[in-house]
Amino acid sequence: MSAAPRRILRDIALARSGDKGNRATLSVVALDAADFPLIDRCLTVDRVRTHFEGVVHGAIDRYTLPQLSAVHFVLHDALAGGVTRSLALDAHGKTLSAALLDLPLPD
């Protein structure tokens, strides 16, 4: 019998993003409010910083929005100078929010 595939954040949430200058904003919203406590517990600043090591060079601000079953992050110094200044391909909020949804959930 094979083991069940490991669940990732994408299985229980969606993400929205924005970018302005050298800052990206990422919101992770539970698809079902019952999953919000798990998202709130496992999406810490430290875990997001580790996930984006080498990409986010500044502070990370975290805001909990329980009424929306969401967690919102502001990633400072995350866009290689800003979308219009960066030579990186797709190094803006949309790409970062998709990457965040690949985080494995705890067993």
Side-chain angles (χ1 to χ4, degrees):
M1 179 186 247
S2 62
R6 186 153 192 200
R7 291 189 328 150
I8 60 173
L9 189 56
R10 181 179 321 278
D11 295 332
I12 64 168
L14 60 84
R16 300 293 296 165
S17 63
D19 42 61
K20 190 70 166 176
N22 197 21
R23 184 174 39 241
T25 60
L26 308 178
S27 293
V28 177
V29 184
L31 295 172
D32 181 334
D35 290 320
F36 175 67
L38 174 60
I39 292 169
D40 187 36
R41 191 171 55 251
C42 72
L43 271 187
T44 63
V45 168
D46 289 338
R47 186 143 191 234
V48 170
R49 179 174 305 290
T50 298
H51 190 66
F52 289 122
E53 187 175 2
V55 175
V56 177
H57 302 285
I60 297 176
D61 301 321
R62 180 184 188 272
Y63 302 92
T64 305
L65 306 165
Q67 305 89 334
L68 301 175
S69 299
V71 180
H72 180 75
F73 293 93
V74 179
L75 312 176
H76 299 269
D77 194 11
L79 301 175
V83 173
T84 59
R85 293 181 54 202
S86 173
L87 297 177
L89 296 175
D90 282 342
H92 31 83
K94 188 184 308 185
T95 302
L96 296 176
S97 67
L100 188 60
L101 290 175
D102 287 334
L103 272 174
L105 293 170
D107 293 327

